[in-house]
Structure formats: structure tokens, C-alpha cells
Amino acid sequence: MVFRRLAVAGVSVAVTMGAALLAVAPTAAATSETSPPPPPPASATAAADRAADAPDIDVTKVQAHLTELNNIATRNGGTRKSSGQGYRDSVAYAKSKLQAAGYTVTEQPCTSGCASGAGPNLIAEWPQGDATKVYMFGAHLDSVGAGPGINDNGSGSAALLETALALAEQHPTMAARVRFGWWTDEEQGLNGSDFYVRSLSSAERSKIKAYYNFDMIASTNGGYFINHLTSTAAQPMKAYWDSLNLQPEENTEGAGRSDDYSFEQAGIPTSGYAMGASARKTSAQAAKWGGTASRAYDPCYHQSCDTTGNINATGLNRSVDGIAYTLWKLAVGGTAPANDFSLAAGPSAGSVDPGASATSTISTATTSGSAQTVALSASGAPAGVTVSFSPASVTSGSSSTMTVATTSGAAAGTYTLTVTGTGAVTHTTAYTLTVKGAGGCTAQQLMANGGFENGTTPWTGDTGAIGAHAGQSAHGGSRFAWLGGYGRSATESLSQSVTVPAGCSKATLTYWLHIDTDESDRVAYDTFKVKVGSTTLTTLSNTDASSGYTQRTVDLTPYIGQRITVTFAAAEDSSLQTSFVIDDAALQTG
């Protein structure tokens, strides 16, 4: 737990910690408790039934993790502070166990706001359950520089680690996702958790339905405290401790001083367990919970004596079982969500000479339910192009290397390949392949339905402008595109996308345009533009009006080897019509 300035009832209060604490190891009397009460009663609700199935976490396994954290500190100067090797070794210890258990594990470097040299956050997600509904459980993994931090906060870190391993071992049906976080640099100001929350998009934040924090849950003279005791988020945690007749109290000492505050500031509901730091136990609390009145909850708070000898095993056991109870009640059971996955190509485009090849990583991720086998295939490859995958199928969450190989005879051009992943469901992603020119060029006309005789396809935009309209006539055939002519403020456009093949030396757009107008001034009130993408290549206006059609030409040579969108666009001002009538458009390569 970190020192922090608090705001209580609108008054800023500086909390001073650690004055005149006992510097000796706690005695056995400090850990004495009443006899263990009976297990929580069964409930008629489905949620409580699921919670009743929560495992009894073996506290000796939690203590084994604490022993290893203590050993890590001993090997690294007696500390696991965030900027030291002791912290990094702690991350490696937890990470190896989580990965072996099947978690999706990420080390998140703290790239802003953390102390110089601070190690990473460690995030582990159980890859089952509804990915849009996440319950998160967290604890800071770092210690102060003065000691190994076995209660503060090896206790919370080890309890979460063993709960995570128990979840993987039980492997129950999941109704929601469970995500664990071990935070860096808490002792320097909640910096690791703050960085994590700031790194989340608003959509990702909204998926986290509650965050539960565990900081100092084995204090030798401790009490039983819950963050936001009366909140909805706290109810399962309170219900468990109530079932043990512990009569928990609000965690006022820890308010704003641990990593739940980072989530709380982002509007995410929070709760958690704590057993106290340097504040002193009252006589009423000693009568209720045992221990020594007028003595600090943790006499070794932020000191070198915060070792494995500074652990209240009874309190630790009650805390870790309450964590499991809460997790099972919130996230386990119900109808398993349908298995689903995502598919992406990176990079999503490549350019090669004929005879060469390009590669892309095809990534998958489990987005709902359990991981599944995804078979990969590709379509849309032209003659002379083959696509292969290594491996040809993956388990969602894994990736494959796609190789796109071309022969020396592959035709120059740009092609869209469709990569398909087939599992319980099917998803696709696009890959754009450009085969560079080898010096030759097949002359061809690329624009489809340029005379507008075959309906409106593939034109897009204001396709109602296409037809055999009374009042104007076609250049060829019977149909044309009439843009404008309203005599009021109006805009209209027609677009078509084409691929201009590589290997050619020239590309030319031609079209026939008739402009008639009621404007009399030699001022460009109404305009007609030819654009490629957002770039305007030609601008005409009412001042270019004349009788009959005039063929116009636009050089598109700079766009060879690209897929482009050609747009004809007209804009009229508030009065006096100008009509822009288009027919027989073509895009010729040579």
C-alpha cells in the first residue's frame, strides 16, 4: 500500500504512516483468531449455487508463493521494488505459472508516469467466457525499497496467483471473462495501474464490470476491511465474510491509497479486501476480531521485517477463499457463450515483382467462448499466383504465416485476395497484392458501363442521375448521366473504382460532356469536377457551356499500378441551372 493524500468529506487529509511502529517480528499471539466458523450456507439463487462450488483454496500453496517471493527478495538485496531485479524476478515467477496453466499472459511496459526503470505490469486473462463482460482482480506486485513486502503486497499477489491456478485446474464453464492484474510501481504512487487504465479505450473500459483489489490481506494484528462495503460490487465479498461472522468494516485507512483508486477514477465499480496497515486496532475491533488493541494492524508495515514471518495465515486463508467465492459467483456458470474468433492480416497488403513472393501474418484471437481450431484458406488469386499457410490451421489465439508466391508470368496489376478462417463460425479478411510490371502492357479499357446503357452498376453515388431523361440526349445509345440542372443549391456525384495495372506506360480517362446553362455572366457559379480519390484533376463550369458534346481527356498515368476511385461531381449555386451531361466514359491503358 502506498502513501497517498486523501480527500475525506471534502477536506484534504495528509495520512502519516509508520510512526513508532514495532520493529520486531510479530509473536504468535498476534495471529490468534477465534475458531473457524462453519462454511457459508447454501443459497437458492443460481449465483449463490455457483459460488458454493468455489474451491477451498489451499492456503499452504499461497504461502509457498510467499516463500518464493521472499527468496527472490533475499537474492536481490532484500527488496522487490519496482525498478529492481527483485520485481522482474517476481513477474517471471508468476508469468511462468500462469502460462503453464493456459492463461493469455501479457507483460505491459509502463511507458509513461512510472518511476525510472520500473518493470512491467503483468496481465493474465482466462480465455473463456463472454469477452464483453470482464471481472478483474488485481494486486500490486512491488514492495518498498526497505523490505521484501511479503504482506505488502506479496499476500494479495500470491492469493490472486493461487486463485488463478485453481480456476485453470477446475476449468468450469465461464459466463464472463476473468482478468488478473499484478501492478508495478504502486509504492511510488499507483503508477502501474494508472497507466493500465489510461491505456484502455473507452470500449475496453466499459467491458470491465467490476475491479477487485487485494492489498495487505494477511496483517498479523489485522482486521477485516472491505473497500466500498455497501456497494453492489462489494456484496459477494461481504456475503462470504458475513458467513464467517467476521462483521467486516469499511476500509477507511486504505481509501485512495491502492490500485483500486485508478479504476475508481475511471468510473469502474471497485471493491476488495484488506487487513490494515499502520493504523491502530481499536478496543472494539480487538474484542470482535482478536489481536491487540492500540497496536498497528501490521507492525512491520514498510519495514525490513515484512517477511514470511509477518503473515497471519488465518486471515490470509479467509481472504483467498473470499476471492474465489466472489470470482465463482460473478463469472462462473450460466450458459456458455458461443465460440467465436477474430481474423486479421498484418501487413494487409504487399507488392512484388513477378516471380517473387510476399508474406503476411494471419492472426486470430478468441473473442467469445473457448478457443477453437481455425482452418485457413484464400481465394481471389489470379493466374500465376498461389497462396499457402504455415500452419494451415491454428487454434484461435495463435497465428499462421501466409505466403503469396507469383510466377514470372503473373500479370501485372493489383488484386484483392480474401483470406478465410473456418471454425465453428467463418470470418474473412482482405489482403491486397500488387504484382509489379515487367515491362509489357496489354492495352485495355478498364471502366465498366461507361456509356450507362447497362443500368447503374458499378457506379455509386447519385445513381438516379443515370437514365434516358427527357430534356437531354445521349452521345451514344439512349442513356446518359445528367448531373445538376436544378437551378438551386445542389450537389451530385457518380463514382467508380478501378485498378490501373502496372507495366503500362500510359493511362487515359476520356469522357463526353455536354454543358448547358442559364447563367449569362462569365463567372464560374456552377462547377463540374473530375477527381481521383480526394484529388481534383479537372474543374469546368458554366463558363465552359457549348452546344453538343465535347470529348474531354484526363491523364491518369501517375496512378498506374494502383486501385483508384474516379468521381464526376457537380455543384450548383442558389439560382439559374447548369446541366453537366456525361456519356461514353472510358479508361484506356497502353
Side-chain angles (χ1 to χ4, degrees):
M1 184 186 295
V2 71
F3 290 100
R4 191 170 182 87
R5 185 167 297 275
L6 308 181
V8 180
V11 179
S12 178
V13 180
V15 178
T16 304
M17 309 296 295
L21 290 184
L22 298 178
V24 296
T27 64
T31 64
S32 63
E33 297 286 348
T34 58
S35 298
S43 169
T45 66
D49 287 343
R50 293 195 299 273
D53 292 332
D56 180 3
I57 305 297
D58 186 348
V59 72
T60 62
K61 292 183 178 180
V62 181
Q63 290 174 299
H65 299 316
L66 292 177
T67 297
E68 181 55 30
L69 293 177
N70 198 88
N71 292 339
I72 287 171
T74 300
R75 294 193 296 268
N76 290 281
T79 181
R80 297 183 302 104
K81 63 182 180 180
S82 63
S83 58
Q85 189 59 42
Y87 177 78
R88 288 177 170 78
D89 288 352
S90 300
V91 170
Y93 172 74
K95 180 179 179 181
S96 64
K97 291 188 174 297
L98 292 162
Q99 286 182 320
Y103 279 84
T104 302
V105 185
T106 304
E107 289 187 32
Q108 182 195 41
C110 183
T111 57
S112 67
C114 285
S116 177
N121 290 324
L122 181 67
I123 311 298
E125 183 161 320
W126 186 240
Q128 293 185 24
D130 185 349
T132 67
K133 187 177 182 181
V134 177
Y135 290 98
M136 194 160 187
F137 296 76
H140 74 87
L141 187 55
D142 64 322
S143 74
V144 293
I150 299 306
N151 183 39
D152 184 14
N153 183 39
S155 61
S157 295
L160 288 190
L161 177 57
E162 190 55 37
T163 302
L165 298 179
L167 177 64
E169 183 178 5
Q170 295 268 326
H171 209 282
T173 299
M174 301 300 293
R177 287 291 173 97
V178 175
R179 185 181 303 160
F180 296 91
W182 287 267
W183 310 119
T184 187
D185 218 34
E186 189 269 359
E187 296 291 4
Q188 305 302 315
L190 319 184
N191 298 324
S193 58
D194 177 69
F195 176 79
Y196 174 80
V197 174
R198 286 189 287 110
S199 71
L200 296 173
S201 67
S202 59
E204 288 301 313
R205 289 185 189 182
S206 68
K207 292 178 183 178
I208 302 176
K209 304 310 176 185
Y211 170 80
Y212 294 91
N213 195 67
F214 305 95
D215 192 350
M216 303 181 68
I217 57 172
S219 302
T220 53
N221 193 39
Y224 294 91
F225 302 107
I226 296 179
N227 305 339
H228 305 302
L229 179 66
T230 60
S231 68
T232 300
Q235 290 316 294
M237 311 204 79
K238 182 177 183 298
Y240 186 78
W241 274 1
D242 282 347
S243 75
L244 303 180
N245 196 30
L246 293 176
Q247 304 173 59
E249 297 179 4
E250 178 65 42
N251 182 18
T252 55
E253 181 191 20
R257 289 175 51 200
S258 195
D259 295 295
D260 54 309
Y261 189 68
S262 299
F263 290 81
E264 184 179 331
Q265 291 292 94
I268 296 170
T270 65
S271 188
Y273 286 150
M275 292 191 70
S278 65
R280 295 178 181 274
K281 180 173 282 188
T282 67
S283 297
Q285 290 171 339
K288 179 169 59 171
W289 295 323
T292 304
S294 301
R295 189 169 185 241
Y297 299 120
D298 180 1
C300 286
Y301 175 67
H302 281 192
Q303 297 179 55
S304 60
C305 59
D306 187 10
T307 66
T308 50
N310 188 44
I311 292 296
N312 177 342
T314 300
L316 180 64
N317 191 30
R318 291 169 173 175
S319 295
V320 71
D321 285 342
I323 294 170
Y325 177 91
T326 300
L327 188 158
W328 253 253
K329 183 168 185 177
L330 295 175
V332 171
T335 303
N339 296 341
D340 203 355
F341 66 93
S342 61
L343 187 71
S348 59
S351 181
V352 297
D353 292 313
S357 62
T359 61
S360 177
T361 298
I362 307 302
S363 301
T364 65
T366 302
T367 58
S368 180
S370 301
Q372 60 185 287
T373 300
V374 179
L376 299 171
S377 61
S379 59
V385 175
T386 58
V387 182
S388 60
F389 299 89
S390 180
S393 63
V394 298
T395 300
S396 56
S398 302
S399 61
S400 174
T401 299
M402 178 178 73
T403 301
V404 182
T406 66
T407 66
S408 58
T414 299
Y415 308 96
T416 299
L417 310 183
T418 300
V419 180
T420 301
T422 304
V425 293
T426 298
H427 291 290
T428 63
T429 190
Y431 178 84
T432 302
L433 172 68
T434 298
V435 181
K436 300 176 183 179
C441 175
T442 300
Q444 55 185 313
Q445 200 287 109
L446 303 174
M447 188 159 282
N449 195 22
F452 307 105
E453 300 299 324
N454 300 314
T456 60
T457 304
W459 294 97
T460 60
D462 298 299
T463 55
I466 298 172
H469 305 290
Q472 296 288 348
S473 58
H475 174 262
S478 61
R479 290 162 58 86
F480 49 89
W482 183 355
L483 303 182
Y486 296 102
R488 54 177 170 80
S489 295
T491 59
E492 285 185 305
S493 66
L494 290 171
S495 299
Q496 184 176 145
S497 296
V498 296
T499 298
V500 185
C504 296
S505 60
K506 189 174 183 180
T508 304
L509 172 69
T510 60
Y511 59 97
W512 291 85
L513 178 67
H514 168 54
I515 305 174
D516 72 55
T517 184
D518 291 340
E519 302 281 3
S520 57
D521 296 339
R522 300 297 295 170
V523 177
Y525 295 114
D526 309 316
T527 59
F528 173 85
K529 297 181 179 181
V530 180
K531 299 190 290 184
V532 170
S534 60
T535 302
T536 299
L537 302 181
T538 296
T539 300
L540 300 168
S541 72
N542 51 278
T543 63
D544 298 294
S546 63
S547 60
Y549 279 88
T550 301
Q551 188 177 40
R552 308 281 182 170
T553 301
V554 181
D555 183 17
L556 298 187
T557 302
Y559 299 95
I560 287 174
Q562 300 181 38
R563 184 163 181 80
I564 61 174
T565 298
V566 177
T567 300
F568 299 117
E572 287 187 276
D573 70 354
S574 59
S575 63
L576 300 177
Q577 74 85 28
T578 301
S579 297
F580 302 96
V581 187
I582 313 160
D583 203 359
D584 295 330
L587 202 171
Q588 184 70 42
T589 60

